[in-house]
Amino acid sequence: MLHGCCFGKITFESLVSLRSIEQLSAVKETCGRPNLSPSVNQGGGRFPAHVLPAITLPPLPPRGWPVKMTWSWKQSWREEFSRRKLTFHPYAPELLLQPQWDIAPWVWLLYRFLMVWYTLGWCVYSGLLFATPKWLIYVSHLTYCLLGVYYLLAFANLTGATLLVRQHCRKQSRAATQANNRESRGITGFLGPFPLPSLLLKSLRLQWFLLTFVGTYSLTVSFLYWLAVYPLEDHKLSAFNVNMHVGNILQSLLDLFLCATPIHVLHYAYLLLAGCAYAAFAVLYWLVGFTNLTGEPFIYKVLDFGAHPLTASLSVLGFTLVCLPLFHFLLWNAHLLRRRLASAVYAGAWELRQGVWWWKVTGREEPIPMSLTDTSTSTSMSTSTSLFSSSGMGHEDGVAQPLLVPAGPNRVTVSVYI
């Protein structure tokens, strides 16, 4: 693993241009030759010759890496069935906050802000269009409202984490200045661990649940709407209808492919509970004698327990035991595809860019310490060490595994200056 400490002045562009550890080994070998000058230029940076030969590099990945991934689909499937992946406890909270791709922090924050206004705008328009609280009895409308809540929560969490990280780094900078730890050519910074308040931790759990819920339910409900509801009921093909049953899928998939939030197979258990709760609500709604928007004594025609109890029962079973797990499985595979594409695009250096992204969040212009996980030993992005410290991770309250750990026989230490 590459971990952050200073061994020389290297531009960020020159470091990320090293597409693999093999190239870093080549740089080390070149700089270590006695007939070369004391330093070698590489993409605008300088690699000190007297330091690089002494660096202990991790074992090289197999040839063809990272195109041939060190983890397979079967391995990822087996890893899903562990106790820790049943809960929504964020062992790496930064994955719930940052994008999967190389998107500037301010652009990511702007994206969150725009999606909040777009989604909530449609929710307000829907309420004014129907002018009755009965429009919330439909799963598609409820799902879209929860999508708006997800965007609002994600924007609030990202804003809060940004302010938290900046405040924490300012305190670190003042402490370093008072301790007179500045070096002659700069200051060696530290990226994390940042304190994670319990309120923000709970909010991140809810955000994670809402992403999983909205993603799976948007796919399921929209599929069933166009398959069973739209042909049976007299619905007009309006902009509202398309946005509620097509736009929701596009928004959910877009956010899934942009964010770094993981999807776990075992989270289907919570989706099943939600589906059973809605089925119980539909039965109670029918028993009490309430009507839908058109005055009929049911929510959907396929849930008419009075006239067609067998059809309604089979519809509930098909929804909860067939459609929900099927589309949740597809969502999990889409999340695996996103991770694999990111690993291929960034040549296994995604976690290095993760550190750069959070350093940009701090707004500092000092040496950037960061981590590059050795993909030959790490098979999952979501199991890396965390930038945030919180309770419940097997440590004391307020203490977590730092991103920057002491260099060992399988690690090298670098700092990047931008």
Side-chain angles (χ1 to χ4, degrees):
M1 299 173 68
L2 290 174
H3 285 273
C5 239
C6 184
F7 74 77
K9 189 172 184 179
I10 306 174
T11 62
F12 169 63
E13 290 79 6
S14 64
L15 185 62
V16 298
S17 66
L18 303 178
R19 300 294 289 179
S20 68
I21 301 178
E22 292 174 329
Q23 292 181 337
L24 184 57
S25 302
V27 172
K28 169 187 171 182
E29 180 182 358
T30 303
C31 294
R33 294 176 183 175
N35 60 342
L36 293 180
S37 58
S39 61
V40 178
N41 289 325
Q42 175 72 17
R46 300 183 68 81
F47 295 80
H50 68 282
V51 177
L52 281 172
I55 294 176
T56 302
L57 291 170
L60 293 180
R63 185 170 299 277
W65 176 88
V67 176
K68 295 181 180 179
M69 303 298 294
T70 57
W71 53 268
S72 64
W73 184 92
K74 291 183 179 180
Q75 180 181 352
S76 299
W77 174 258
R78 288 193 298 266
E79 291 176 352
E80 284 298 308
F81 297 93
S82 62
R83 184 180 301 178
R84 63 179 292 180
K85 293 191 176 183
L86 179 61
T87 68
F88 282 98
H89 182 80
Y91 290 91
E94 60 269 18
L95 294 180
L96 308 182
L97 295 165
Q98 68 185 71
Q100 183 79 72
W101 310 96
D102 209 356
I103 303 174
W106 70 270
V107 176
W108 185 240
L109 190 63
L110 179 62
Y111 160 77
R112 290 295 193 199
F113 177 77
L114 294 178
M115 295 309 293
V116 168
W117 282 103
Y118 176 83
T119 310
L120 293 184
W122 271 105
C123 291
V124 173
Y125 170 76
S126 303
L128 297 177
L129 180 65
F130 291 98
T132 175
K134 283 186 177 182
W135 75 282
L136 287 174
I137 66 176
Y138 299 100
V139 184
S140 55
H141 298 175
L142 282 172
T143 302
Y144 199 81
C145 289
L146 289 177
L147 179 62
V149 174
Y150 162 75
Y151 281 126
L152 181 62
L153 197 61
F155 174 73
N157 290 339
L158 180 59
T159 303
T162 300
L163 297 176
L164 176 70
V165 167
R166 285 178 174 256
Q167 181 183 12
H168 183 74
C169 288
R170 282 196 298 266
K171 290 181 179 179
Q172 278 191 330
S173 181
R174 286 195 298 266
T177 302
Q178 294 173 0
N180 196 21
N181 286 335
R182 291 184 178 275
E183 299 177 358
S184 58
R185 295 179 63 184
I187 178 172
T188 302
F190 296 91
L191 188 60
F194 304 117
L196 185 63
S198 60
L199 180 61
L200 181 57
L201 179 62
K202 294 176 182 177
S203 185
L204 287 174
R205 288 174 176 174
L206 181 57
Q207 174 188 328
W208 192 1
F209 166 76
L210 287 176
L211 175 64
T212 305
F213 179 91
V214 169
T216 302
Y217 269 77
S218 293
L219 294 172
T220 306
V221 172
S222 296
F223 171 77
L224 293 178
Y225 174 81
W226 296 110
L227 179 68
V229 178
Y230 184 79
L232 298 178
E233 301 184 14
D234 186 19
H235 288 181
K236 296 181 180 179
L237 192 63
S238 60
F240 165 80
N241 213 0
V242 172
N243 182 74
M244 282 290 170
H245 302 100
V246 177
N248 61 342
I249 296 179
L250 298 179
Q251 287 181 251
S252 300
L253 292 180
L254 174 65
D255 200 84
L256 178 70
F257 273 95
L258 290 182
C259 72
T261 304
I263 301 294
H264 294 318
V265 173
L266 292 182
H267 287 170
Y268 160 71
Y270 303 96
L271 306 179
L272 176 61
L273 290 177
C276 293
Y278 184 81
F281 166 74
V283 173
L284 183 63
Y285 196 87
W286 164 72
L287 288 175
V288 174
F290 291 148
T291 60
N292 58 17
L293 292 174
T294 58
E296 297 170 308
F298 48 78
I299 299 178
Y300 297 101
K301 285 186 178 181
V302 294
L303 295 181
D304 188 358
F305 292 94
H308 308 284
L310 180 60
T311 301
S313 301
L314 292 177
S315 298
V316 170
L317 292 177
F319 176 78
T320 55
L321 301 180
V322 179
C323 293
L324 273 183
L326 173 63
F327 284 102
H328 185 64
F329 176 73
L330 293 178
L331 196 73
W332 176 74
N333 279 277
H335 134 266
L336 285 185
L337 176 62
R338 180 200 70 202
R339 284 174 44 193
R340 183 154 187 166
L341 289 176
S343 296
V345 169
Y346 299 129
W350 183 84
E351 293 192 13
L352 174 65
R353 293 177 178 269
Q354 174 187 16
V356 173
W357 193 87
W358 280 102
W359 193 263
K360 290 179 180 179
V361 171
T362 67
R364 300 170 68 177
E365 297 180 355
E366 298 168 356
I368 303 179
M370 59 202 54
S371 166
L372 176 59
T373 300
D374 179 10
T375 55
S376 64
T377 58
S378 176
T379 58
S380 175
M381 295 180 185
S382 61
T383 58
S384 60
T385 53
S386 174
L387 284 167
F388 291 85
S389 60
S390 63
S391 60
M393 297 186 184
H395 303 273
E396 295 180 0
D397 190 12
V399 179
Q401 292 178 309
L403 181 68
L404 307 182
V405 296
N410 293 326
R411 298 184 178 93
V412 295
T413 55
V414 299
S415 276
V416 181
Y417 292 70
I418 59 173

